[in-house]
Amino acid sequence: MKSAEEQLSTYKSVHLNPKNIKTHFVGVPLIIWSLFLLLNLIPVTFFALDTPAISINVASVFAIGVLLYYIKLHARLALGLALFIIPVLYTSSLVAQVQGALWIALAVFVIGWVFQLIGHQYEKAKPAFIDDLNQLLIGPFFLMAEVYFLLGLEKELDKQITPMAVDKRRALEDERRAARL
């Protein structure tokens, strides 16, 4: 498994433009929420209390698995992601009970991707997951790291990944230039 620094620097290498990062702060949470809504629509529940909002279902199992992966990468960032995912799980489970929830999930998913694609127009770089599907899981991890950096937390991590990302971006641009020749 690649380290948190390696994963984050790879993701950041195609997310250096501030406008792109801002669009991702909208697009990625929308996509995550819509995916949790879709997972909540799968009629498999492993455990439930009286309310469907408090259950262990496919969405909960997925959340636990992803959070364990994030903990293995970087425990402090995983804590922030847990604080984000818990309300996502709860609200998506409530909306899953509404008629037309599938259409809501699909609409939110498409809107989220529109924001992502707009951001990559600013960046003039393809999304990170095109070359590595694991980068789909790193998007939320990257955004949480950016929140921490904005709050003045994890300064050492920022100092490590930013130069690595810039170097990777230069290499990508050199490859692109060489391919055009």
Side-chain angles (χ1 to χ4, degrees):
M1 184 172 94
K2 294 179 183 175
S3 69
E5 295 80 7
E6 182 68 25
Q7 301 270 16
L8 288 168
S9 66
T10 298
Y11 196 89
K12 188 170 186 139
S13 71
V14 291
H15 297 87
L16 293 168
N17 183 301
K19 290 180 182 177
N20 185 25
I21 295 171
K22 287 176 186 173
T23 64
H24 280 55
F25 270 106
V26 176
V28 170
L30 289 174
I31 293 166
I32 291 169
W33 187 85
S34 68
L35 289 174
F36 275 102
L37 177 53
L38 288 169
L39 291 173
N40 270 299
L41 294 173
I42 298 172
V44 176
T45 301
F46 305 103
F47 169 81
L49 294 177
D50 292 334
T51 173
I54 301 174
S55 65
I56 301 295
N57 58 11
V58 175
S60 302
V61 170
F62 179 73
I64 292 166
V66 169
L67 285 171
L68 288 172
Y69 173 67
Y70 290 151
I71 289 168
K72 191 168 182 156
L73 280 176
H74 195 282
R76 289 180 301 275
L77 291 179
L79 176 61
L81 283 156
L83 294 174
F84 166 74
I85 288 175
I86 290 169
V88 167
L89 266 173
Y90 180 73
T91 59
S92 63
S93 71
L94 293 177
V95 174
Q97 307 308 309
V98 173
Q99 187 173 359
L102 175 63
W103 293 109
I104 293 168
L106 294 174
V108 171
F109 184 81
V110 168
I111 292 166
W113 276 106
V114 166
F115 275 94
Q116 297 295 93
L117 295 174
I118 290 169
H120 280 280
Q121 291 301 309
Y122 291 121
E123 189 75 48
K124 303 209 183 322
K126 62 186 176 184
F129 74 87
I130 298 293
D131 295 325
D132 180 0
L133 284 177
N134 184 57
Q135 291 291 296
L136 288 169
L137 290 174
I138 300 303
F141 190 67
F142 168 78
L143 291 177
M144 188 55 63
E146 289 293 309
V147 169
Y148 277 48
F149 301 157
L150 287 170
L151 295 173
L153 305 170
E154 297 299 328
K155 292 177 186 177
E156 281 304 310
L157 180 61
D158 192 18
K159 285 180 189 174
Q160 285 180 297
I161 67 167
T162 300
M164 290 169 64
V166 170
D167 289 345
K168 288 179 183 195
R169 181 58 173 271
R170 281 191 194 119
L172 288 171
E173 289 173 359
D174 289 346
E175 282 179 32
R176 200 179 318 158
R177 273 192 292 276
R180 280 186 263 157
L181 298 175

